[in-house]
Amino acid sequence: MNRAHDRLLLRLCTLPFIVASLSSCAILNNFEPSVTVRPITPNEYITLQRGDILVSRQLSALTTQTIRVAGLNVDECVTHLPLDCTLALTNTKDISDERKLSALAELWLQRAITMHTTAAHAGDSVATLAPWMEAARYAYAYLFFTRRTPDERAFENRQTQVRDWYNYTVQQAITQLFKGLSTQARITTSDKVNTVNIDGWTAHLKFDARQPEGVTFPQELIPTSSLAFQGLHSIYRRDGFGAELVAVMDHKSSPRDDTRNTASSSGSKDANRSRMRAPPWSEMPSPNMTAVFSFDAKDLDELVHVREVTVSVHDPLVESQLMLHGHRVPLAGNFTAGYGLWLARSGFSRQSLHTLFGREHGIEHPHVYMMQPYDPDRRIILMLHGLASSPEAWVNMTNEILGDEDLRREFQVWLVSYPTNMPVIVNHATIRQLLQETLRNFDPHGQAVASRGLVIVGHSMGGLIARLMVSSARHELRDWALTDSRINMNATDFTHSLLGPILRFQPFPGVTRTVFIATPHRGTAVAGYRPARWLSGLIRLPLTALENIGDALHASAMASSESGDRILVGVPNSIDNLDERDPFIKAAVDLPISDQVFYHSIIARSSTAGSLEDSDDGLVPYSSSHLTDAVSEKIIIYGHSVQEAAASILEVRRILREDITAHRRAVVPREH
């Protein structure tokens, strides 16, 4: 009994040692579960599904799986991609073309990013073109040369990933091509196609997008993904196929460097004449464009060996779709970046102050800035800023219009910059002439859609000018001129011929709708207060004012023998014209608005306290902004710069949509 008990005790004592020694043996692995599970967070799940070389700088999960299924080592593929992995993946028979091609596209993209970083550190700007082209080629192959069509994969994450890789590689490759044009490339030109041979590739460059007048090639191509803006409420773009770029044209077309708009208080007559000869309009020097790489091949085998690419550049404002290999694909586009870059480089804010006080580097003559190359099939929205302002006043309103697909399809935006120190009536006359010249240049016979159905939007003093644009003056302003002591109607015969078109005019042809924003139709008492009078005294009109108004507008006490500076002392400036007691503002308020024009009012009140009739926006009272026969009147709680308010932008968009409907139905405006 004791002996049996001892043997049992021995066995029990040695059992843990036996199990412990066997635990390191492979045989016990059969007792472990082959699959384990753990919960993951939604964030981990999304990262697993959508993470890739662009998002996390690591290969996507599907590419990693494809490499492993092919029996390859992931680290070795990343390190030795060109020699080993491409050939091995291509020859693998049991993996679908979609998986192979998408994996190769990402692997080449990873290689391109690595080589680009290395080359950048070494100061080599074009050495990394080849891997970008390989990545673009394999992404293109996945999208258009596999069994399933892009439409059949429309809702798949993988296709979205590959499209993004393609767009990014095209963005990088075209900027490398552009840099190489002046260094390593050989360029030949035939039938408006530039052929570039660089880094073993032949690229045929076609600019399908219309460029500004006089421009043959951009100075810069800037990826929109490299730009971040402050001051813009929204960035508007369209998802699709292609690399989104800003094509920066001649820097001289920016306001800062534009000699035709640079004022000088002591310039020669020859210099002034030279400025006057320059066109008073320009198309935005940084249009948005979209670049597409297409590879001409009849099948997948030919495609993966081709080293020739067609590079086409498109205008996303004009084109929204492309046909590629029998498939209709959406064209990517950015509608904000070019506009934002132009404003950021413009120097408008400083220029507007120089202009107000008649200092150097202001502007002497009005100028039209087109937010896209002229389009004869889009109607024009003409925007007029207010006192001491510039086209920057419309920064977000213009961006919202450009970002609205319906409005973008119907309209093109023209921003007017003008010297806000000049008398309102003179600015009106010169802006009217400017618009006539610009339309005549692009549409000599007045038959284009753009020349009809114009919409004018004016803020503050710009609203006063807008009202004159749609009004008629027969004898009203001449009667004012005869009684205003500041005007000498009997100076010379030249005075009468000069003042004729200034004092007598008809509504501008083609304008069918006007929006007045915080417009002092009856002036404002603020302009007559002591601070405003002091500010008015600091305003100095440019000597070029004499080119427009000669010796007609001057204080009667001034003798004609005195210098131009002395003569201009008596000329009423813009602040004078805004005074509710000013004789001109009293005469202009009664001018009849055309019964062929719809007009709307957007009026601000700075507080909800008190009655509407007694309210104001801090500068302009409601009683001055209100027009009894306006089609609509929108009251917004805001200050005088109400054109910046979201509610104001929404109201303008509503009015423009209403205008589109009326224009298409050819509705005849009601009589006022």
Side-chain angles (χ1 to χ4, degrees):
M1 182 68 180
N2 291 336
R3 192 173 296 174
H5 179 268
D6 291 341
R7 286 197 299 269
L8 177 59
L9 184 61
L10 178 62
R11 290 173 182 171
L12 290 175
C13 291
T14 56
L15 181 61
F17 297 100
I18 297 174
V19 172
S21 60
L22 288 177
S23 64
S24 60
C25 299
I27 191 170
L28 287 187
N29 289 338
N30 294 328
F31 297 100
E32 295 180 357
S34 58
V35 176
T36 60
V37 63
R38 71 173 181 85
I40 63 174
T41 66
N43 182 61
E44 288 179 290
Y45 175 78
I46 295 298
T47 300
L48 185 65
Q49 295 297 313
R50 302 182 184 177
D52 60 20
I53 193 64
L54 293 181
V55 175
S56 62
R57 293 304 185 195
Q58 295 181 349
L59 297 178
S60 64
L62 187 56
T63 293
T64 301
Q65 293 168 17
T66 302
I67 294 172
R68 288 172 177 166
V69 169
L72 303 171
N73 182 278
V74 175
D75 292 335
E76 289 183 359
C77 276
V78 170
T79 305
H80 306 293
L81 166 69
L83 299 177
D84 301 326
C85 229
T86 299
L87 183 61
L89 277 175
T90 301
N91 292 333
T92 302
K93 302 298 184 183
D94 296 328
I95 300 177
S96 69
D97 284 345
E98 287 187 7
R99 292 192 65 175
K100 285 191 290 188
L101 293 172
S102 61
L104 285 168
E106 188 175 14
L107 282 166
W108 274 110
L109 177 56
Q110 185 275 336
R111 181 74 171 180
I113 292 172
T114 300
M115 293 182 66
H116 175 75
T117 303
T118 303
H121 289 158
D124 188 348
S125 62
V126 296
T128 57
L129 178 63
W132 293 120
M133 297 301 298
E134 294 291 350
R137 185 228 305 269
Y138 280 107
Y140 195 86
Y142 167 88
L143 291 168
F144 299 110
F145 284 83
T146 51
R147 180 178 57 82
R148 292 194 298 165
T149 66
D151 289 342
E152 292 178 297
R153 296 187 299 250
F155 292 100
E156 295 183 10
N157 287 335
R158 191 58 165 179
Q159 176 155 285
T160 301
Q161 283 181 319
V162 177
R163 182 208 64 190
D164 290 345
W165 300 339
Y166 170 86
N167 289 352
Y168 184 74
T169 55
V170 170
Q171 167 192 299
Q172 296 300 314
I174 194 170
T175 53
Q176 295 298 319
L177 276 171
F178 191 81
K179 292 176 182 177
L181 292 181
S182 59
T183 55
Q184 303 179 15
R186 292 190 299 107
I187 307 173
T188 58
T189 303
S190 176
D191 296 328
K192 298 182 180 180
V193 176
N194 293 304
T195 299
V196 181
N197 293 296
I198 184 171
D199 205 14
W201 281 83
T202 298
H204 305 288
L205 278 66
K206 296 169 52 181
F207 266 81
D208 296 330
R210 183 185 177 280
Q211 300 178 74
E213 280 191 336
V215 175
T216 57
F217 211 70
Q219 290 189 346
E220 291 181 83
L221 283 180
I222 303 177
T224 63
S225 62
S226 68
L227 301 172
F229 298 100
Q230 292 182 338
L232 288 167
H233 294 166
S234 306
I235 302 297
Y236 286 101
R237 53 175 306 279
R238 178 177 60 219
D239 277 338
F241 196 71
E244 301 161 29
L245 306 165
V246 176
V248 180
M249 305 304 178
D250 188 354
H251 291 298
K252 291 181 180 179
S253 56
S254 67
R256 174 181 300 166
D257 300 321
D258 194 346
T259 56
R260 64 192 166 209
N261 271 338
T262 302
S264 174
S265 59
S266 58
S268 68
K269 291 183 178 180
D270 290 339
N272 286 335
R273 281 196 296 269
S274 176
R275 283 195 295 269
M276 288 296 289
R277 283 196 297 268
W281 62 81
S282 58
E283 295 161 302
M284 192 173 68
S286 52
N288 298 297
M289 294 186 176
T290 303
V292 172
F293 282 15
S294 57
F295 300 85
D296 189 14
K298 64 178 182 292
D299 55 34
L300 180 60
D301 183 63
E302 182 179 345
L303 174 64
V304 297
H305 293 93
V306 73
R307 297 187 69 81
E308 194 166 356
V309 62
T310 297
V311 181
S312 55
V313 182
H314 307 265
D315 184 349
L317 284 169
V318 177
E319 298 178 85
S320 60
Q321 294 180 328
L322 294 177
M323 287 296 296
L324 292 172
H325 296 281
H327 303 289
R328 189 178 300 276
V329 297
L331 180 70
N334 191 301
F335 307 105
T336 297
Y339 174 59
L341 183 65
W342 173 65
L343 284 178
R345 293 181 173 184
S346 69
F348 273 133
S349 56
R350 177 176 296 181
Q351 187 186 64
S352 64
L353 287 177
H354 287 179
T355 299
L356 179 64
F357 296 111
R359 301 301 190 260
E360 287 186 293
H361 307 300
I363 61 172
E364 299 172 351
H365 309 285
H367 192 87
V368 166
Y369 293 99
M370 305 175 185
M371 296 299 97
Q372 66 181 92
Y374 172 77
D375 189 335
D377 297 321
R378 281 178 166 88
R379 294 192 291 133
I380 296 166
I381 301 175
L382 190 75
M383 309 188 85
L384 301 169
H385 60 76
L387 179 69
S389 189
S390 73
E392 283 189 314
W394 304 110
V395 52
N396 283 298
M397 185 171 291
T398 298
N399 187 44
E400 294 296 324
I401 293 171
L402 295 174
D404 187 303
E405 184 175 354
D406 293 333
L407 302 184
R408 186 172 65 237
R409 189 184 301 117
E410 182 77 13
F411 295 108
Q412 55 191 317
V413 177
W414 291 9
L415 304 178
V416 176
S417 177
Y418 65 95
T420 63
N421 54 352
M422 295 285 281
V424 171
I425 192 170
V426 175
N427 270 325
H428 163 248
T430 54
I431 290 173
R432 179 181 283 260
Q433 181 181 2
L434 163 64
L435 187 56
Q436 289 173 337
E437 291 180 11
T438 307
L439 289 173
R440 192 180 301 120
N441 174 74
F442 291 103
D443 183 23
H445 303 292
Q447 298 301 311
V449 171
S451 296
R452 303 186 299 274
L454 282 76
V455 177
I456 301 180
V457 182
H459 171 248
S460 191
M461 190 169 71
L464 289 179
I465 298 172
R467 176 164 181 172
L468 295 177
M469 293 286 290
V470 297
S471 300
S472 57
R474 298 175 178 86
H475 59 82
E476 297 89 348
L477 295 183
R478 180 176 175 82
D479 292 345
W480 153 70
L482 288 171
T483 58
D484 195 320
S485 60
R486 299 170 298 186
I487 301 175
N488 185 358
M489 288 292 291
N490 299 315
T492 63
D493 292 337
F494 174 71
T495 298
H496 291 280
S497 62
L498 182 68
L499 287 181
I502 293 179
L503 299 178
R504 298 179 61 184
F505 47 82
Q506 294 295 318
F508 194 89
V511 179
T512 57
R513 196 173 298 265
T514 307
V515 183
F516 303 117
I517 304 178
T519 300
H521 298 286
R522 300 169 185 83
T524 171
V526 175
Y529 293 167
R530 182 173 296 176
R533 302 312 308 158
W534 174 79
L535 181 62
S536 176
L538 296 179
I539 291 178
R540 186 176 64 192
L541 298 180
L543 289 179
T544 50
L546 293 175
E547 299 173 6
N548 296 319
I549 55 180
D551 56 0
L553 296 178
H554 65 85
S556 59
M558 292 296 163
S560 60
S561 62
E562 293 184 279
S563 68
D565 281 322
R566 291 291 293 162
I567 291 175
L568 289 173
V569 168
V571 176
N573 58 48
S574 52
I575 292 184
D576 296 329
N577 286 160
L578 296 178
D579 190 339
E580 64 182 5
R581 299 169 300 180
D582 186 72
F584 166 74
I585 201 76
K586 291 181 178 181
V589 73
D590 293 326
L591 295 179
I593 298 176
S594 169
D595 60 9
Q596 298 301 304
V597 175
F598 289 109
Y599 55 90
H600 307 257
S601 295
I602 297 177
I603 301 174
R605 58 182 301 186
S606 56
S607 172
T608 57
S611 66
L612 176 62
E613 290 72 16
D614 295 328
S615 66
D616 60 57
D617 61 16
L619 287 176
V620 179
Y622 171 82
S623 58
S624 182
S625 293
H626 172 72
L627 292 175
T628 303
D629 293 326
V631 174
S632 67
E633 180 177 275
K634 178 72 172 180
I635 308 299
I636 299 173
I637 308 301
Y638 210 83
H640 183 63
S641 298
V642 67
Q643 86 284 353
E644 302 172 349
S648 184
I649 295 172
L650 288 172
E651 176 66 4
V652 169
R653 289 173 64 178
R654 182 198 68 78
I655 292 169
L656 292 174
R657 290 179 182 277
E658 180 179 305
D659 183 79
I660 292 174
T661 301
H663 188 76
R664 291 174 179 171
R665 294 177 179 174
V667 173
V668 178
R670 66 176 176 82
E671 294 187 2
H672 299 297

